[in-house]
Amino acid sequence: SLSNIDVSADNPFYDSRNNCNAIIETSSNKVIIGCSSTIIPESVSSIGAYAFKGSGIESLTIPTSVTNIEIIESTPFSGCRELSSIVVADNNPVYDSRDKCNAIIHTSSNKLVAGCTSTHIPADVETVGQYAFLEIENLKGIEFPEGLKTIEYLSFCKSGLSGHVAFSSTVEIIDDCAFLDNKELVSVTFPEKLEYL
């Protein structure tokens, strides 16, 4: 429920520039801690691996300046149960949120690196990255489009998936523990050519 963060203007290492409600490491321009009302400033270049983990943030815009989103045993948004909107600025050189997908996609690799409760996977995404939906507990359903090939390690772990999941015929690899701890998931339909790692 943390909604306000303010770093003293005299702090030599950290700041909360532009009233952003976050802690930014000044030397690296990296958000290291955010909260439910954080607005990422245009000057930020990186988002730390645990920056928003478990926060109550509901919507987020990734500015053009952010060229690095750290993924170390989670994404910065793991456990954000209320996060329903992610928008990447149109001119970002590294990431996008094409087709209003409510996700962060690494543009050059067509890999979805972070999703939220209302994400839909665009048809040209080839990979759902590791931890992409980790602990996004309000994710009730997801469609896997034709063209998707790989679902990486722990990508949907504890994501709240329920009912039936059917993979598209193009899915070739599902990494270990990709769907771990989805207790409401009733059934899964797999394609014929599938390698489960």
Side-chain angles (χ1 to χ4, degrees), residues 44-64:
V44 164
S45 59
S46 181
I47 302 174
Y50 306 100
F52 293 91
K53 186 172 175 65
S55 76
I57 195 160
E58 296 179 9
S59 64
L60 192 64
T61 298
I62 308 297
T64 56

Side-chain angles (χ1 to χ4, degrees), residues 4-195:
N4 180 262
I5 300 174
D6 185 27
V7 178
S8 168
D10 298 326
N11 191 297
F13 303 106
Y14 304 104
D15 67 82
S16 54
R17 64 191 74 165
N18 301 4
N19 298 314
C20 63
N21 284 313
I23 299 175
I24 298 170
E25 185 178 58
T26 306
S27 62
S28 64
N29 288 316
K30 176 167 69 174
V31 173
I32 58 171
I33 298 177
C35 68
S36 63
S37 59
T38 294
I39 297 174
I40 301 174
E42 183 63 42
S43 55
V44 164
S45 59
S46 181
I47 302 174
Y50 306 100
F52 293 91
K53 186 172 175 65
S55 76
I57 195 160
E58 296 179 9
S59 64
L60 192 64
T61 298
I62 308 297
T64 56
S65 58
V66 171
T67 56
N68 180 46
I69 296 173
E70 292 183 351
I71 298 174
I72 305 170
E73 297 183 356
S74 84
T75 75
F77 316 104
S78 294
C80 292
R81 300 174 186 154
E82 307 305 319
L83 183 60
S84 61
S85 173
I86 301 175
V87 176
V88 179
D90 287 339
N91 296 322
N92 189 295
V94 177
Y95 302 103
D96 68 80
S97 54
R98 65 191 73 165
D99 302 332
K100 298 179 181 178
C101 63
N102 280 315
I104 302 171
I105 298 168
H106 186 260
T107 305
S108 63
S109 64
N110 288 317
K111 177 190 280 193
L112 192 153
V113 295
C116 68
T117 61
S118 60
T119 293
H120 73 87
I121 303 173
D124 51 359
V125 165
E126 296 181 1
T127 303
V128 175
Q130 58 184 352
Y131 316 116
F133 293 90
L134 178 64
E135 297 174 346
I136 304 293
E137 294 178 3
N138 290 338
L139 182 69
K140 298 303 178 189
I142 198 87
E143 291 186 17
F144 298 99
E146 293 295 322
L148 183 67
K149 296 178 181 177
T150 303
I151 300 170
E152 292 186 342
Y153 178 70
L154 290 176
S155 53
F156 289 92
C157 177
K158 297 182 181 177
S159 64
L161 279 174
S162 60
H164 178 74
V165 169
F167 297 105
S168 59
S169 63
T170 56
V171 172
E172 299 172 351
I173 297 173
I174 299 176
D175 279 351
D176 190 33
C177 301
F179 293 89
L180 184 68
D181 278 346
N182 283 283
K183 297 175 182 174
E184 302 299 318
L185 192 57
V186 176
S187 62
V188 179
T189 302
F190 294 99
E192 290 182 10
K193 297 177 181 178
L194 178 69
E195 179 181 351

